[in-house]
Amino acid sequence: MAQTQVLCTEGFTELGKLLAGEAATALKAVFCMEGTCTVSAASTFANPGTAATKIAGNGLNQADADTVVSSTTTVTDDTAELDHVFTASGTETVTGFGVTNDDDDVLYGEVCLNAGVAMESSDTLTVEFKIQFKAD
């Protein structure tokens, strides 16, 4: 399925603080979104997906990711990878998802799906988000 994705300015500021040893937390959690979803680097934890909203329940609300690990894209451990499986407990249409820090207050990045995914109770949605670090 085609999608659009972006790293958010808010996440870059968190990464800068993390690298400097200042108060910041690493990539940790993920949430699903509903409604009209358009990615924007200016999106924030409080306002993700432009016109989209965070799903607040039905098993698709914010949760700690199943795994957050380093992985290899070009050279060993040059990528941070978040993976999570959501299991719906009700009916929702997922139009995207966002990834956040461990404090649940900074949006590292977001993904908007090409089309909404209709979820019913017991349906699963697997999401993955990768941030590769490399020279320009």
Side-chain angles (χ1 to χ4, degrees):
M1 173 180 290
Q3 63 189 31
T4 54
Q5 60 270 331
V6 69
L7 293 174
C8 298
T9 303
E10 185 175 68
F12 287 127
T13 62
E14 187 81 346
L15 284 171
K17 291 190 299 185
L18 193 61
L19 287 172
E22 298 173 2
T25 59
L27 185 65
K28 178 70 173 185
V30 59
F31 59 84
C32 291
M33 295 185 285
E34 62 185 344
T36 303
C37 187
T38 304
V39 299
S40 170
S43 291
T44 64
F45 180 80
N47 294 299
T50 308
T53 57
K54 296 175 193 170
I55 296 176
N58 289 328
L60 303 167
N61 50 295
Q62 184 155 330
D64 284 351
D66 293 330
T67 60
V68 179
V69 297
S70 62
S71 62
T72 301
T73 301
T74 305
V75 298
T76 303
D77 297 330
D78 66 344
T79 302
E81 179 178 336
L82 176 147
D83 295 285
H84 188 71
V85 178
F86 287 98
T87 301
S89 59
T91 303
E92 296 280 358
T93 299
V94 177
T95 57
F97 66 93
V99 296
T100 73
N101 66 343
D102 195 16
D103 290 338
D104 301 331
D105 64 356
V106 170
L107 185 64
Y108 274 112
E110 62 187 2
V111 173
C112 290
L113 305 173
N114 187 43
V117 177
M119 303 286 292
E120 306 234 353
S121 189
S122 299
D123 286 349
T124 60
L125 177 67
T126 301
V127 299
E128 179 180 72
F129 195 90
K130 293 182 178 184
I131 301 172
Q132 182 187 13
F133 302 95
K134 61 183 180 177
D136 288 340

